[in-house]
Amino acid sequence: MPRIDSKTGKVVKNYTIEELEDAANYMRGLNLVSLCAAGSGHSGGTMSAMDITAALYLQCCNYDPQEPFWEDRDRVIWSTGHKAPNLYIGLGMAGYYDPTDVVTLRKLSSPFQGHPHWLKLDGVEASTGSLGQGLSIAVGIAMAAKLDKKDYYVYSIHGDGEMQEGQIWEAAMSASHLKLDNVIAFIDYNRLQIDGWVKDVMNIDPIEDKMKSFGWNVIRIDGHNMKEIVDAVEKAKTLKGAPTAIIADTIKGKGVDFMEDIAGWHGKPPSREQLEEGLKQMGITDKFDLDALFAKADKYQAGVEKHLDEVVPKFSKNYWWNEEDTMKADMKPTRLGFGEALEQTGDDERMVAIGLDISGSITISKFYENHPERKDRWFSLGIQEQNGTCAAAGLAKEGKIPVIGTYGTFASARNLDQIRTTVCYGNLNVFIAGAHGGVSVGPDGATHQALEELFQMCGLPNMTVEVPCDSVETNRSSKFLLLEHKGPKYVRFAREATPIVTTENTPWEFGKANVIRYRGKNEKFIDAFEHVLASEYKSEDEDMAIIACGPSVPEAMRAAYILKEDFGIESRILNIHTIKPLDSEAIRKAAMDTKCVVTAEEHQIGGLGYRVSAAILDGKESFGDTMLFGMVGVKDRFGDSGAPWELVKEFEVAAEHIAKKAKELYDNKK
């Protein structure tokens, strides 16, 4: 149906099939430009779904860009939230804004987040990103339409891999049971997900028969045939008494030969050279002034950098990582320490590893990649956090040592009840890896940035929680938990390359904090500090204590360096790599000795800070007249898209913010 003006009822535009095909081709090109400008994002699925996007936003859906909240509009829910560029470009092409604005995709504070956020951009109907939830949202909106006697339709867009999530099938059952014939679900059936072919990772077929058995009307089409897409939508609107699923057979990376049917392009953007080749293949090179578009993105980025420069506290010089001629730090992602630990310990026949579709990203796949003899102890369960957690529990009950992992926000929240009831209540020996912790995950944005899991995991009886500070400590923590600790265990580690500040010879003992002291400038950052087990440390009458965990430990070390060099303030750093059980004795001793404590965490304030404050107050010691205490962390807000180190600055968890807070407390000491 043609789009109409919500006030007059007049037709705004009625596209021909050929015009829709041309628009989809242009939209694919703009998608590649935006991903290239962002330097991150998902090429494969955004290209496969673009014909569907063009059909919905330019022809099939009823809405009015001049009245984004028109109550009779159709709603489109992008359950497959990583395809957000489709949504943004579709809205732009429909007239909500200049579609070339999408070149600011994934940049700090841009409305075009890595995953959609409905509070940041008119036209976005729901905040999505955690797969499997969009159909339930669509069901709820469709229920509201029935209650309000409205005739609008609710579309939900899904990837085929997403159909592995159990919640999808709960929603499918509900939609049918409630006879929600105002729900039309598109399944972008491109046959690939991050870990490979859907049929090999976790087969969803026969998907037509499954949807029919759940009481749905099913239409199968060529997802790159524009007439079939438009006709399918019009047919779905005539079917009454049940929801409709349109299964669209597509090609991942459609339009660019080196992207098509390649799983590796799922979450990868094109380079400038690849972009230009892609536009050439699609025959639309002349449609884009690339220099102007990249200049537009660069101008926005310049504003971001100016803002960040203004919000980061200033000291006598630039102390940022590797900006000086000395104090150089080697960088390595902490997640690699986890993968290396699995590779090094995987010969133990009791060990079993469970993949949840982002295996390479979190490095759990290193368990078997160079060891084909272990492949029979590797199980890929696809996008199934809840099922995977309970399967791990079953393996543990029978004497295996199961390792399961995904992004920390999914590993600790999506399956929280399963962890609580099945793993912890049963006190089962399950190792859970919460990868990509903190805002430094970067441009994927809030839905993928784990900032709350210490509240969740530390609140569970029987659960042990480790938050190592670098790749070396991640390796050591993981090995200990795997082979020496029995019971539920959770390790939190980061995605981005962070400073290596420990070695294999650094003292490390489970459940015991380390004291770190700055000893003077050195060529290498790591050599400027001394590490001692807190239980063996003798007070040096430091001015204050900085208590940190995870990647905030290197930041605390850099803060100690700043405080000493600029203000002569001596700091005792506590590396609390084991959050539960907590080394309360070391914490109370640091508080008693210094009477001034700052906690630092790349987490919502309190994950570490509240536990530290409780440990201090729970002791029998007297702190005299004054005990100064402050916390540095994320201030009760969700994350944002942006470059990893930009977000460390924006969310005020960098060393400069720790040093500023510490200096403020120090200045109030009596």
Side-chain angles (χ1 to χ4, degrees), residues 37 58 68 87 95 150 162 165 245 366 374 482 511 561 601 660:
L58 300 183
L87 165 59
K150 294 292 185 180
E162 183 186 10
E165 282 281 14
K366 286 196 173 291
R374 301 177 187 170
L482 281 165
Y561 167 44
E601 55 193 309
K660 179 184 177 184

Side-chain angles (χ1 to χ4, degrees), residues 448-468:
H448 285 52
Q449 293 165 356
L451 295 175
E452 303 85 19
E453 70 269 45
L454 294 184
F455 298 136
Q456 296 150 348
M457 293 299 101
C458 291
L460 295 172
N462 295 328
M463 179 63 80
T464 289
V465 181
E466 280 279 318
V467 187

Side-chain angles (χ1 to χ4, degrees), residues 543-560:
D543 300 302
M544 68 182 326
I546 305 175
I547 302 178
C549 65
S552 292
V553 171
E555 297 296 333
M557 294 166 68
R558 192 161 63 86

Side-chain angles (χ1 to χ4, degrees), residues 387-400:
N387 177 48
T389 299
C390 287
L395 285 161
K397 184 179 179 297
E398 300 305 319
K400 305 301 182 184

Side-chain angles (χ1 to χ4, degrees), residues 429-488:
N429 191 30
V430 175
F431 184 112
I432 303 169
H436 296 39
V439 291
S440 58
V441 171
D444 274 343
T447 59
H448 285 52
Q449 293 165 356
L451 295 175
E452 303 85 19
E453 70 269 45
L454 294 184
F455 298 136
Q456 296 150 348
M457 293 299 101
C458 291
L460 295 172
N462 295 328
M463 179 63 80
T464 289
V465 181
E466 280 279 318
V467 187
C469 70
D470 64 6
S471 61
V472 176
E473 198 167 76
T474 302
N475 182 283
R476 298 175 78 181
S477 294
S478 298
K479 286 179 179 176
F480 176 87
L481 292 179
L482 281 165
L483 300 182
E484 298 186 48
H485 180 81
K486 189 172 182 179

Side-chain angles (χ1 to χ4, degrees), residues 208-244:
E208 288 181 74
D209 293 342
K210 288 178 180 176
M211 294 302 294
K212 287 176 182 177
S213 73
F214 272 70
W216 284 58
N217 301 309
V218 177
I219 303 171
R220 190 143 198 168
I221 61 171
D222 176 351
H224 300 309
N225 183 313
M226 191 62 70
K227 186 175 188 307
E228 288 191 27
I229 298 171
V230 173
D231 287 349
V233 173
E234 295 308 313
K235 180 180 178 180
K237 292 176 180 178
T238 69
L239 300 174
K240 301 303 178 183
T244 298

Side-chain angles (χ1 to χ4, degrees), residues 539-611:
S539 175
E540 297 180 16
D541 297 323
E542 300 94 340
D543 300 302
M544 68 182 326
I546 305 175
I547 302 178
C549 65
S552 292
V553 171
E555 297 296 333
M557 294 166 68
R558 192 161 63 86
Y561 167 44
I562 295 171
L563 291 168
K564 175 63 176 177
E565 295 297 318
D566 271 26
F567 308 110
I569 297 172
E570 295 282 357
S571 306
R572 181 188 306 182
I573 304 158
L574 281 189
N575 173 11
I576 308 293
H577 52 75
T578 306
I579 303 295
K580 187 184 179 187
L582 191 69
D583 190 347
S584 297
E585 182 179 348
I587 291 169
R588 282 195 290 269
K589 188 173 188 304
M592 279 289 294
D593 290 346
T594 66
K595 305 291 179 68
C596 185
V597 173
V598 174
T599 62
E601 55 193 309
E602 194 181 324
H603 187 275
Q604 297 287 359
I605 283 180
L608 172 68
Y610 295 163
R611 294 180 67 79

